[in-house]
Amino acid sequence: MTVSRLRVGVIGYGYWGPNLVRNFQELEDAEVVSVCDIRRERREHFEKQYPGLTISEDWQELVRSPAVDAVVVATPVSTHYQIAREALQQGKDVFVEKPLALGADKAGALIELSQRRQRTLMVGHTFLYHGAVRKIRELMDQGELGEPLYLDSTRANLGILQDDINVIWDLAPHDLSIMDFLLRRPPLSVSATGASHTGRGLEDVAFITLHFPDHVIAHVNVNWLSPVKIRRLLVGGTDKMVVFDDNEPSEKVKVYDRGVACSDSPDKRHNELIQYRAGDIFVPQLDLTEALLNEARDFVASIREGRQPLANAESGLRIVKLLELACLSLSRDGAPVEVN
Amino acid sequence: MTVSRLRVGVIGYGYWGPNLVRNFQELEDAEVVSVCDIRRERREHFEKQYPGLTISEDWQELVRSPAVDAVVVATPVSTHYQIAREALQQGKDVFVEKPLALGADKAGALIELSQRRQRTLMVGHTFLYHGAVRKIRELMDQGELGEPLYLDSTRANLGILQDDINVIWDLAPHDLSIMDFLLRRPPLSVSATGASHTGRGLEDVAFITLHFPDHVIAHVNVNWLSPVKIRRLLVGGTDKMVVFDDNEPSEKVKVYDRGVACSDSPDKRHNELIQYRAGDIFVPQLDLTEALLNEARDFVASIREGRQPLANAESGLRIVKLLELACLSLSRDGAPVEVN
Amino acid sequence: MTVSRLRVGVIGYGYWGPNLVRNFQELEDAEVVSVCDIRRERREHFEKQYPGLTISEDWQELVRSPAVDAVVVATPVSTHYQIAREALQQGKDVFVEKPLALGADKAGALIELSQRRQRTLMVGHTFLYHGAVRKIRELMDQGELGEPLYLDSTRANLGILQDDINVIWDLAPHDLSIMDFLLRRPPLSVSATGASHTGRGLEDVAFITLHFPDHVIAHVNVNWLSPVKIRRLLVGGTDKMVVFDDNEPSEKVKVYDRGVACSDSPDKRHNELIQYRAGDIFVPQLDLTEALLNEARDFVASIREGRQPLANAESGLRIVKLLELACLSLSRDGAPVEVN
Amino acid sequence: MTVSRLRVGVIGYGYWGPNLVRNFQELEDAEVVSVCDIRRERREHFEKQYPGLTISEDWQELVRSPAVDAVVVATPVSTHYQIAREALQQGKDVFVEKPLALGADKAGALIELSQRRQRTLMVGHTFLYHGAVRKIRELMDQGELGEPLYLDSTRANLGILQDDINVIWDLAPHDLSIMDFLLRRPPLSVSATGASHTGRGLEDVAFITLHFPDHVIAHVNVNWLSPVKIRRLLVGGTDKMVVFDDNEPSEKVKVYDRGVACSDSPDKRHNELIQYRAGDIFVPQLDLTEALLNEARDFVASIREGRQPLANAESGLRIVKLLELACLSLSRDGAPVEVN
């Protein structure tokens, strides 16, 4: 006996929606049965691409349709809460693009609703499903890097300036969710600086610092106004260090057997106290499966198996909280804000 | 009639001293007549390289020698003040490696002394003499970039941890002096975050944000614990944007005809308000003269011509002030500090 | 009145077929109505992706179907001739992946047949539709490069070793068709060297040299056994030089204002005779439309307009002839073979 | 008792001479005692750099000086033979820049003379002393790469067009000496193509193919007219493959655990016959000593120890023979020429 396919409805067919449709369509045990978008030109584009599928204008109709088991939300951030809430209320399992909602209170309310309705609620922290990030976490879990010292992430591009959110809400969910995944612990404090150049009051360049226990520091540089695309994460450990450069077509993760060690002996001179190490570099072969396919598969499997997905709503809430605190610090010109 | 050569004495023959000696030696109208270093192995190395030159152990002897016209100081930062002061008092013209001194009070005292003694005092802000930085300033002066929006500089390496200063005092003078040179104005406020991992209390990773008038923001990321060398400056303007990547062997400066323009009309929709531009890239041929040779030449010429060098002591003082403010903010966990 | 859509049938849904289907599907005035592949797993994959479309096993049925106007052939090279011939005989317009056929006699026969049946016959020289190659040809047509001196193309990868052809027949059609397009003239002679390492007698590494009039030389390096992907073309001209690096994510074409000029005066010394020039670099913004979409569009438009497509069958024949001559030279250990 | 220093005289202070002087000067047990150059401006430059050393105009005086033990020849290639011969006749040990001489007969005569006079004769195959090449040979000696399949070397630049030799004689000694060092065996045949664009009859672009036993093939692409600097060697083995990119500032050698394996079973289908492997990449830490310093040290040590240096004159002769054969093939439009 074969399991019937999960029937997926996708709301929003703009920049990211087509990738979601294509990947859910790749899955054996799921099928996209319905798509909707309020823009006529996007619907026409969809119809040309997928002559056999239907697309509508009305998302409320989609979330109410009994022919839909699960709803994927790929609309502007400010609409996430309303659509996800309605879908959960209609008894659907729900996948929401990142960030989960525009505020921790709303994210929390969605979680509460999903628990009450016993539905899966997942957030699109795609990088948790990326072969590079999986490999780095594997190395950290194996103790290869030693103790973490710092994380430094830059995400810059001549990006599409969002209408409803600043660059932190738009880009930093990627970096913060990766850091949350790798460090497995919350920061102690957050500070952020930035600037807005478009007269709209929405920052287009911003810098976030997070302090974690044990002197671990993390930094996020997000920029909508960069002429070049930069997607680079440095992870410094006491034993090894990692660079993840997502611009590299093939050698995305490099593990450097490099570091600095300090002797504690107070009676030694500087040169004797500090030892440098410059060793080999290792470029591990990564799982090259498209992250989004892994993500779609985990959504479907988590529903089938009645378990939490990796990118569960709780991680979505943690990231939304950090985004809020970063913006609070931003409004105070970088003064640090404590977490909890 | 030929002008006699300026007789230069170099104090400190460690990492940077050999470069200074080699470049002053290249000049037609100068010659290195004396070098000193307290380390025996460095002196032996020098003697093998330059059989015809003398090297001594005692810097005080050097600064007092009537056979020396000008003194170049390339010793640890904490000794800059004492050596430069003594050299000025002995009537020498003085070139001090960056930063000028370990404190604005000391830097100010050196300036005051140099004025009283009518001697040239110059600071080794080498990048002001780098073909790449000169080209960027030229483009900015010509209005090619439009109004500046942001500067973002990263200087990371598995650097030599200094004994007497943290990573900000060690590396940020480069970035701050470039920014001072390009923007020609002081920031309004400074904030900085960072962490120390060696148990010595000296930060090895740090991030500085500077706010300038008109929403111009600058960011400096300095890191002694990076497994890879990063030397990159982004300059975003309203018309064009520049990337200076000093790791690139030949195409160091790229000028991007890219940007985002906002219409002010409030009745337009988002898509109509914001216009993106992705145009050609221009990679200007740079003056490839070694920056240090230009710098040495400017020192000698400024003495001969009785004028201020480009990297004058006033710029040295401005940078030292910013370094102090950054460290003050660092001690306050990133809380912003006003300039003046 | 709207024109009815061209009804396209695609034969072969392996590596390249999906790209062809997707791009023909993107066109306003065409639609993929039928696909076939002999492999069951490929058919199942197609059915999951395109629930609304049909796929069959039998290509002969497809080429005879009255519901199909035009046939796209994306099967192994050794089958091109038979399938294209049958499709032309059935009155279809035909697009054949490169190389057009496995032999100049067969390519010629297809052209003859297409002319007799007054059908469009096109070959998949995709790079003729690539923004980078278009830009280089535009620069050459405008005289920007001066007189061409040399072309040097490297196409290396850990490629899929083909069953029925060597690396020259597999990869060199790209390079040779680009060179044919840029130089607009045939070479005088061809020589080639190579080696086979798999015991099958099919070369997996090969090097081709083509001599053109006026000392213009072209070189093609094709390699199935390279650990890294290299896709680079150098075009040297008397005035400027171009590098097209298809691995670069965004800056694919760079135009260098560099060169060497020789004075003819016999009484000058070497240094005076030869002048080097190292100037600016220009990175033109390219048309980023997927080459395959342009190609599909040209196929459809050439049918509608009753004109030859850019990648017409004559160019397909010219390239097949060069491939044959290269393999002839290969069999003679590199001895040159004259063209005509 | 300390050994007295080897007294070195350097003939030719143009492009490469300063590097030789600097490195010999670095050695503990050698010292540059005399330099000569026929160009006045080069002599003046030297005198400014090394106030304590003497430089003359007359090389014959230098080779006859009893104050000189060993002679380093860094003059134009066409003068190597005469100068080296005279120096050997005067009883000096001799280091000649590559290529050893402009013809195998002359190279052989120098070897014969050096043996008769029992003097060391060494050739400047610098890459044999480069950490990258040493590492690759080490990997090959350890069997890490399996059996060699191919070597592919590209050496391109907007080079200085030589007066007396073509691009093969100028650049290919590097590639051929590396291949000779790595493969430890002579090729069976050589073929070469190329073109001259300056009206002087000296090729400025050339391509050499060498066939070795067991289907091993090597290719050398040398180009004086390239707008970009390319210095890359690929080494393909049955087990692993290596890329040596000398343009990379730090990660010059990468070892790829990649390959293609063929099963011999004739009854398997293509897909089953050929197996691809894409594994990890390893970037070994290299010895970063300047190659020229290692080379200078080996020259001095080989004299002291009465042994052959690594870059001995026999290897110089082998390379000169290959250069001659390549030019013979070049004159025959690429027709292959057998070795021996």
Side-chain angles (χ1 to χ4, degrees):
Chain A
M1 197 196 91
T2 56
V3 176
S4 64
R5 287 174 174 161
L6 185 81
R7 298 169 303 169
V8 176
V10 177
I11 300 174
Y13 199 72
Y15 170 67
W16 199 239
N19 295 326
L20 288 159
V21 169
R22 177 171 50 80
N23 277 286
F24 274 101
Q25 204 66 338
E26 286 277 324
L27 295 178
E28 263 311 294
D29 55 353
E31 58 185 326
V32 174
V33 296
S34 192
V35 179
C36 81
D37 198 287
I38 54 170
R39 292 159 296 187
R40 185 179 173 176
E41 73 276 12
R42 296 305 302 161
R43 293 199 302 275
E44 288 176 355
H45 188 240
F46 177 86
E47 284 169 349
K48 189 70 180 61
Q49 287 184 296
Y50 294 99
L53 297 181
T54 64
I55 184 160
S56 69
E57 191 176 353
D58 186 356
W59 68 266
Q60 289 182 311
E61 198 178 300
L62 188 149
V63 299
R64 286 172 194 150
S65 165
V68 168
D69 301 318
V71 170
V72 172
V73 183
T75 55
V77 178
S78 54
T79 68
H80 284 184
Y81 173 66
Q82 186 193 3
I83 297 175
R85 189 185 57 182
E86 185 78 14
L88 287 168
Q89 282 171 343
Q90 295 294 331
K92 311 300 187 196
D93 295 298
V94 178
F95 173 109
V96 185
E97 262 314 311
K98 58 86 205 164
L100 180 53
L102 211 47
D105 52 347
K106 288 174 180 162
L110 290 179
I111 290 177
E112 196 273 335
L113 179 59
S114 72
Q115 289 168 340
R116 193 146 33 88
R117 302 299 302 248
Q118 292 184 289
R119 292 292 96 190
T120 290
L121 177 62
M122 175 167 167
V123 63
H125 291 163
T126 316
F127 278 100
L128 274 52
Y129 298 92
H130 191 296
V133 175
R134 302 297 282 266
K135 175 58 74 176
I136 299 171
R137 167 129 148 189
E138 185 188 311
L139 292 167
M140 292 177 81
D141 284 354
Q142 292 167 344
E144 279 284 308
L145 307 192
E147 294 303 313
L149 298 172
Y150 69 88
L151 287 84
D152 182 4
S153 189
T154 302
R155 191 168 301 276
N157 206 351
L158 200 62
I160 298 168
L161 274 70
Q162 298 295 316
D163 213 3
D164 51 354
I165 50 174
N166 67 9
V167 70
I168 286 182
W169 279 90
D170 183 37
L171 296 184
H174 291 308
D175 311 285
L176 295 174
S177 64
I178 292 171
M179 290 169 171
D180 178 76
F181 181 63
L182 293 181
L183 291 176
R184 297 170 177 262
R185 75 192 104 167
L188 301 171
S189 68
V190 180
S191 57
T193 54
S196 169
H197 301 93
T198 58
R200 306 176 307 148
L202 294 172
E203 286 78 10
D204 37 51
V205 176
F207 312 98
I208 311 172
T209 298
L210 304 104
H211 284 286
F212 291 81
D214 301 320
H215 304 288
V216 176
I217 189 169
H219 189 257
V220 177
N221 176 333
V222 281
N223 187 340
W224 272 337
L225 300 182
S226 169
V228 287
K229 190 176 176 182
I230 309 174
R231 297 270 183 278
R232 190 182 48 213
L233 171 70
L234 274 66
V235 182
T238 48
D239 289 349
K240 288 186 180 166
M241 297 182 178
V242 171
V243 177
F244 165 30
D245 186 341
D246 207 10
N247 275 6
E248 284 289 326
S250 59
E251 305 175 14
K252 288 180 184 290
V253 170
K254 294 184 179 176
V255 184
Y256 294 80
D257 186 10
R258 290 185 187 163
V260 177
C262 290
S263 160
D264 288 333
S265 168
D267 50 304
K268 282 191 180 168
R269 285 191 314 172
H270 176 64
N271 293 359
E272 297 162 5
L273 277 170
I274 301 198
Q275 289 171 331
Y276 301 90
R277 195 163 30 79
D280 301 327
I281 307 167
F282 175 68
V283 185
Q285 175 69 16
L286 302 177
D287 178 356
L288 297 176
T289 314
E290 191 173 350
L292 202 40
L293 184 63
N294 289 331
E295 193 180 22
R297 184 172 286 133
D298 190 37
F299 179 56
V300 175
S302 70
I303 294 168
R304 294 232 183 275
E305 300 165 15
R307 62 161 172 84
Q308 285 288 310
L310 183 63
N312 54 60
E314 287 293 343
S315 77
L317 173 60
R318 287 198 299 275
I319 301 314
V320 167
K321 279 181 182 166
L322 293 180
L323 296 169
E324 280 191 334
L325 295 178
C327 289
L328 181 59
S329 172
L330 199 58
S331 71
R332 295 177 184 171
D333 291 326
V337 177
E338 290 197 14
V339 178
N340 300 331
Chain B
M1 197 196 90
T2 56
V3 176
S4 63
R5 287 173 174 161
L6 186 81
R7 298 170 301 169
V8 177
V10 177
I11 300 173
Y13 199 72
Y15 170 67
W16 199 238
N19 296 325
L20 287 159
V21 169
R22 177 171 49 81
N23 278 286
F24 274 101
Q25 203 66 338
E26 286 276 323
L27 295 179
E28 264 310 295
D29 55 353
E31 58 184 327
V32 174
V33 295
S34 194
V35 179
C36 79
D37 198 288
I38 53 169
R39 292 160 295 187
R40 184 179 173 177
E41 72 275 14
R42 297 304 301 162
R43 293 199 301 276
E44 287 175 355
H45 188 239
F46 176 86
E47 283 169 349
K48 188 70 181 62
Q49 287 183 298
Y50 294 99
L53 297 182
T54 65
I55 183 159
S56 68
E57 190 176 353
D58 185 357
W59 68 265
Q60 289 182 310
E61 196 179 303
L62 188 150
V63 300
R64 286 171 194 152
S65 165
V68 167
D69 301 317
V71 170
V72 172
V73 183
T75 54
V77 177
S78 53
T79 68
H80 283 184
Y81 173 65
Q82 187 194 2
I83 297 175
R85 189 185 55 181
E86 184 79 13
L88 287 168
Q89 281 171 341
Q90 295 294 332
K92 311 301 186 194
D93 295 297
V94 177
F95 173 109
V96 185
E97 263 313 312
K98 57 86 202 165
L100 180 52
L102 210 48
D105 52 346
K106 289 173 180 161
L110 290 178
I111 291 177
E112 199 271 337
L113 178 59
S114 72
Q115 289 168 341
R116 193 144 34 87
R117 302 298 303 247
Q118 292 183 289
R119 293 292 98 190
T120 290
L121 176 63
M122 175 167 168
V123 62
H125 291 165
T126 316
F127 278 99
L128 273 54
Y129 298 92
H130 191 297
V133 174
R134 302 296 281 267
K135 175 58 75 175
I136 298 171
R137 167 128 150 190
E138 184 189 312
L139 292 167
M140 292 178 82
D141 284 354
Q142 293 167 344
E144 280 284 307
L145 308 191
E147 294 302 313
L149 298 171
Y150 70 88
L151 287 86
D152 183 3
S153 188
T154 302
R155 191 169 302 275
N157 206 351
L158 199 64
I160 298 170
L161 274 71
Q162 298 295 317
D163 214 3
D164 50 355
I165 51 174
N166 67 10
V167 71
I168 287 183
W169 279 90
D170 183 38
L171 296 183
H174 291 308
D175 312 284
L176 295 174
S177 64
I178 293 171
M179 291 169 170
D180 177 76
F181 182 62
L182 294 180
L183 291 175
R184 295 168 178 265
R185 75 192 103 168
L188 301 171
S189 68
V190 180
S191 57
T193 53
S196 169
H197 300 93
T198 55
R200 306 177 307 149
L202 294 173
E203 287 77 11
D204 38 50
V205 176
F207 313 99
I208 311 171
T209 298
L210 304 105
H211 284 286
F212 291 83
D214 302 319
H215 303 288
V216 175
I217 189 170
H219 189 257
V220 177
N221 177 335
V222 279
N223 187 340
W224 271 338
L225 300 183
S226 168
V228 288
K229 190 176 174 180
I230 309 175
R231 296 272 182 280
R232 191 179 49 211
L233 170 70
L234 274 67
V235 181
T238 49
D239 289 349
K240 288 185 181 168
M241 296 181 180
V242 171
V243 177
F244 166 29
D245 187 340
D246 206 11
N247 275 4
E248 284 288 328
S250 58
E251 304 175 13
K252 288 181 185 288
V253 171
K254 294 185 176 176
V255 184
Y256 293 81
D257 188 9
R258 291 185 186 161
V260 177
C262 290
S263 161
D264 287 333
S265 167
D267 51 303
K268 284 191 179 168
R269 286 190 315 173
H270 176 65
N271 294 357
E272 296 161 4
L273 276 170
I274 301 198
Q275 289 170 332
Y276 301 89
R277 193 164 32 78
D280 301 327
I281 306 167
F282 174 68
V283 186
Q285 175 70 16
L286 302 178
D287 178 357
L288 298 176
T289 313
E290 190 173 350
L292 201 40
L293 184 62
N294 289 331
E295 193 180 25
R297 184 172 285 133
D298 190 36
F299 179 57
V300 175
S302 70
I303 293 168
R304 293 228 183 279
E305 301 165 14
R307 62 162 172 83
Q308 284 289 311
L310 184 62
N312 54 60
E314 287 293 343
S315 77
L317 172 60
R318 288 198 299 276
I319 301 315
V320 167
K321 278 181 182 165
L322 293 180
L323 296 168
E324 281 190 334
L325 295 177
C327 289
L328 180 60
S329 173
L330 199 58
S331 70
R332 296 176 184 171
D333 291 326
V337 177
E338 290 197 16
V339 178
N340 303 331
Chain C
M1 195 196 91
T2 57
V3 177
S4 65
R5 287 174 174 160
L6 186 81
R7 299 168 302 170
V8 177
V10 176
I11 301 174
Y13 200 72
Y15 170 66
W16 199 239
N19 295 326
L20 287 159
V21 169
R22 176 170 51 80
N23 278 287
F24 274 100
Q25 204 67 337
E26 286 277 324
L27 295 179
E28 262 310 294
D29 55 353
E31 58 185 327
V32 175
V33 294
S34 192
V35 179
C36 81
D37 198 288
I38 53 170
R39 291 159 296 186
R40 184 178 174 177
E41 74 275 14
R42 296 305 301 160
R43 293 199 301 276
E44 287 176 356
H45 188 238
F46 177 86
E47 284 169 348
K48 189 68 181 59
Q49 287 184 296
Y50 294 99
L53 297 181
T54 65
I55 183 160
S56 69
E57 190 177 353
D58 186 356
W59 67 266
Q60 289 182 310
E61 198 178 301
L62 187 151
V63 299
R64 286 171 194 150
S65 165
V68 168
D69 300 318
V71 170
V72 171
V73 182
T75 55
V77 177
S78 55
T79 68
H80 284 185
Y81 173 66
Q82 187 193 2
I83 297 175
R85 188 185 56 182
E86 185 78 14
L88 287 168
Q89 281 171 344
Q90 295 294 332
K92 310 301 187 196
D93 296 297
V94 177
F95 173 108
V96 185
E97 262 313 313
K98 57 87 205 164
L100 180 52
L102 210 48
D105 52 347
K106 288 174 180 161
L110 290 178
I111 291 177
E112 197 274 336
L113 179 58
S114 73
Q115 288 169 341
R116 191 143 38 86
R117 302 299 302 248
Q118 292 184 288
R119 293 290 97 191
T120 289
L121 177 62
M122 176 167 167
V123 63
H125 290 164
T126 316
F127 277 99
L128 274 52
Y129 298 93
H130 191 296
V133 175
R134 304 296 283 264
K135 175 57 75 176
I136 298 171
R137 167 129 148 188
E138 184 188 313
L139 291 167
M140 291 178 82
D141 284 354
Q142 293 167 346
E144 279 284 309
L145 308 191
E147 294 303 312
L149 298 171
Y150 69 88
L151 287 85
D152 183 4
S153 188
T154 302
R155 191 168 301 276
N157 208 350
L158 199 63
I160 298 169
L161 274 70
Q162 299 294 318
D163 212 3
D164 51 354
I165 51 175
N166 67 10
V167 70
I168 287 182
W169 280 91
D170 183 38
L171 297 183
H174 291 308
D175 311 284
L176 296 174
S177 64
I178 293 171
M179 290 170 173
D180 178 77
F181 182 63
L182 294 180
L183 291 175
R184 296 170 178 264
R185 74 191 104 167
L188 301 171
S189 68
V190 179
S191 57
T193 53
S196 169
H197 300 93
T198 57
R200 305 176 308 148
L202 293 173
E203 286 78 11
D204 37 51
V205 176
F207 312 99
I208 311 171
T209 298
L210 303 105
H211 284 286
F212 291 82
D214 301 320
H215 304 288
V216 175
I217 190 168
H219 190 258
V220 177
N221 176 334
V222 281
N223 187 341
W224 272 338
L225 300 183
S226 169
V228 288
K229 192 177 176 182
I230 309 175
R231 296 271 182 277
R232 189 182 50 211
L233 170 70
L234 274 67
V235 182
T238 49
D239 289 349
K240 287 184 182 169
M241 297 181 179
V242 172
V243 177
F244 165 30
D245 187 341
D246 207 11
N247 275 4
E248 283 288 326
S250 58
E251 304 175 13
K252 289 181 184 289
V253 171
K254 294 184 178 176
V255 185
Y256 293 81
D257 187 10
R258 290 183 187 164
V260 177
C262 290
S263 161
D264 288 332
S265 169
D267 50 302
K268 284 191 180 168
R269 286 191 314 173
H270 176 64
N271 294 358
E272 296 162 4
L273 278 169
I274 301 199
Q275 290 170 331
Y276 303 89
R277 194 163 31 79
D280 301 329
I281 306 168
F282 175 68
V283 186
Q285 174 70 15
L286 302 177
D287 178 357
L288 297 177
T289 314
E290 189 173 349
L292 202 41
L293 184 63
N294 289 331
E295 193 180 25
R297 184 173 285 133
D298 190 36
F299 180 57
V300 175
S302 71
I303 294 168
R304 294 231 183 276
E305 299 165 17
R307 60 160 173 85
Q308 285 288 310
L310 183 63
N312 55 61
E314 288 293 344
S315 78
L317 173 59
R318 286 198 301 275
I319 300 315
V320 167
K321 278 180 182 166
L322 293 180
L323 296 169
E324 280 191 334
L325 294 177
C327 289
L328 182 59
S329 172
L330 199 58
S331 71
R332 295 175 185 172
D333 290 327
V337 177
E338 290 198 13
V339 178
N340 302 331
Chain D
M1 196 197 88
T2 56
V3 177
S4 63
R5 287 174 175 162
L6 186 81
R7 298 168 304 169
V8 177
V10 177
I11 301 174
Y13 199 72
Y15 170 66
W16 199 239
N19 296 326
L20 287 160
V21 169
R22 178 171 48 81
N23 278 286
F24 274 101
Q25 204 66 338
E26 286 277 324
L27 295 179
E28 262 311 295
D29 55 353
E31 58 185 326
V32 175
V33 295
S34 192
V35 179
C36 80
D37 198 288
I38 53 170
R39 292 160 295 186
R40 184 178 173 176
E41 72 274 15
R42 297 305 302 162
R43 293 199 301 274
E44 288 176 355
H45 188 239
F46 176 86
E47 283 169 350
K48 188 70 180 62
Q49 287 184 296
Y50 295 99
L53 297 181
T54 65
I55 183 160
S56 68
E57 191 176 353
D58 185 357
W59 68 264
Q60 289 183 309
E61 198 178 302
L62 188 150
V63 300
R64 286 172 195 151
S65 165
V68 168
D69 301 317
V71 170
V72 172
V73 182
T75 55
V77 178
S78 54
T79 67
H80 284 185
Y81 173 66
Q82 187 194 2
I83 297 176
R85 190 186 54 181
E86 184 78 14
L88 288 167
Q89 281 171 342
Q90 296 293 332
K92 311 300 187 196
D93 296 297
V94 177
F95 174 108
V96 185
E97 261 314 312
K98 56 86 203 164
L100 180 52
L102 210 48
D105 52 347
K106 288 173 180 161
L110 289 179
I111 290 178
E112 198 272 336
L113 179 59
S114 73
Q115 289 169 340
R116 194 143 35 87
R117 302 298 302 249
Q118 292 184 286
R119 293 291 97 192
T120 290
L121 176 63
M122 176 166 167
V123 63
H125 291 165
T126 316
F127 278 99
L128 273 53
Y129 298 92
H130 191 297
V133 175
R134 303 296 283 266
K135 174 59 75 176
I136 298 171
R137 167 129 148 190
E138 183 188 313
L139 293 166
M140 292 178 81
D141 284 354
Q142 293 166 343
E144 280 284 307
L145 308 191
E147 294 302 313
L149 298 171
Y150 69 88
L151 286 85
D152 183 3
S153 188
T154 302
R155 191 169 302 274
N157 206 349
L158 200 64
I160 297 169
L161 274 71
Q162 298 296 317
D163 213 2
D164 50 354
I165 50 173
N166 67 10
V167 70
I168 286 182
W169 279 91
D170 183 38
L171 296 183
H174 291 308
D175 312 284
L176 295 174
S177 63
I178 293 171
M179 291 170 172
D180 178 76
F181 182 63
L182 294 180
L183 291 175
R184 295 170 179 263
R185 75 191 105 168
L188 301 171
S189 68
V190 179
S191 57
T193 54
S196 169
H197 300 94
T198 57
R200 307 177 306 148
L202 294 174
E203 287 78 11
D204 38 50
V205 176
F207 312 99
I208 311 171
T209 299
L210 303 106
H211 284 287
F212 291 81
D214 301 319
H215 304 288
V216 176
I217 189 169
H219 190 257
V220 177
N221 177 334
V222 281
N223 188 340
W224 272 338
L225 300 182
S226 169
V228 288
K229 191 177 176 182
I230 309 175
R231 296 271 183 278
R232 189 181 48 212
L233 170 70
L234 274 67
V235 182
T238 49
D239 290 348
K240 289 185 180 167
M241 296 181 180
V242 171
V243 178
F244 165 30
D245 187 341
D246 207 12
N247 274 4
E248 284 287 328
S250 58
E251 305 176 12
K252 288 181 184 289
V253 171
K254 294 184 178 178
V255 184
Y256 293 80
D257 187 11
R258 289 184 187 163
V260 178
C262 289
S263 160
D264 288 332
S265 167
D267 51 301
K268 284 191 179 168
R269 286 190 316 171
H270 177 65
N271 294 358
E272 297 162 2
L273 278 170
I274 300 197
Q275 288 170 331
Y276 302 90
R277 193 162 33 79
D280 301 327
I281 306 167
F282 175 68
V283 186
Q285 174 70 16
L286 302 177
D287 177 357
L288 298 176
T289 313
E290 190 173 349
L292 202 41
L293 184 62
N294 289 331
E295 194 181 22
R297 185 172 284 135
D298 190 37
F299 179 57
V300 175
S302 69
I303 293 169
R304 294 229 183 277
E305 302 165 14
R307 61 161 173 84
Q308 285 288 310
L310 184 62
N312 54 61
E314 288 293 342
S315 78
L317 173 59
R318 288 198 299 276
I319 301 315
V320 168
K321 279 182 182 165
L322 293 179
L323 296 169
E324 280 192 334
L325 295 177
C327 289
L328 182 60
S329 172
L330 199 59
S331 72
R332 295 178 184 170
D333 291 327
V337 177
E338 290 198 13
V339 178
N340 302 331

